């Protein structure tokens, strides 16, 4: 485990020491800077893993703060445990 005030490519490279690794972002309560998001995406692009853990609600912005990363990977976390099971009009 490594702790750092900011996520950078250098910090992630130092943590993995030339091996593959998994970055776990758990219950994030503040937004990441664009350069941190880019470092995370670069880490994943090198074949490393990423686990994003939020909350079943958007408590303290835990979902909102992960979505900028999720959306660049093609996902979107909902800010609620409730999900609409009916297709949208344009999907019918």
């Amino acid at each position: 485990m490594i702790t750092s005030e900011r996520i950078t490519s250098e910090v992630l490279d130092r943590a993995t020491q030339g091996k593959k690794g998994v970055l776990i972002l758990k219950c994030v309560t503040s937004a990441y800077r664009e350069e941190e998001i880019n470092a995370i995406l670069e880490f994943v692009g090198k074949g490393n893993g990423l686990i994003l853990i939020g909350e079943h609600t958007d408590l303290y912005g835990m979902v909102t703060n992960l979505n900028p990363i999720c959306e660049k990977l093609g996902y979107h976390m909902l800010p609620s445990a409730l999900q609409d099971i009916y297709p949208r009009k344009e999907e019918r």
Side-chain angles (χ1 to χ4, degrees):
M1 181 172 87
I2 257 191
T3 57
S4 175
E5 291 207 16
R6 291 195 178 165
I7 297 174
T8 66
S9 294
E10 294 78 22
V11 167
L12 295 172
D13 288 342
R14 191 170 57 243
T16 56
Q17 300 175 356
K19 300 177 184 174
K20 296 298 178 195
V22 176
L23 177 62
I24 301 171
L25 303 177
K26 180 181 178 193
C27 300
V28 178
T29 57
S30 60
Y32 286 108
R33 295 172 176 86
E34 192 65 31
E35 56 269 13
E36 291 177 302
I37 294 171
N38 291 336
I40 292 165
L41 296 175
E42 180 182 322
F43 180 77
V44 173
K46 291 178 180 177
N48 295 291
L50 176 64
I51 298 175
L52 303 171
I53 302 171
E55 177 61 51
H56 67 283
T57 63
D58 200 22
L59 181 68
Y60 304 116
M62 290 180 193
V63 172
T64 300
N65 293 323
L66 288 175
N67 266 333
I69 299 167
C70 292
E71 290 167 356
K72 290 191 180 210
L73 295 169
Y75 297 95
H76 180 82
M77 290 189 179
L78 298 174
S80 168
L82 300 175
Q83 296 183 15
D84 185 0
I85 60 170
Y86 299 101
R88 296 182 186 138
K89 287 182 181 179
E90 62 270 9
E91 295 175 358
R92 291 185 193 165

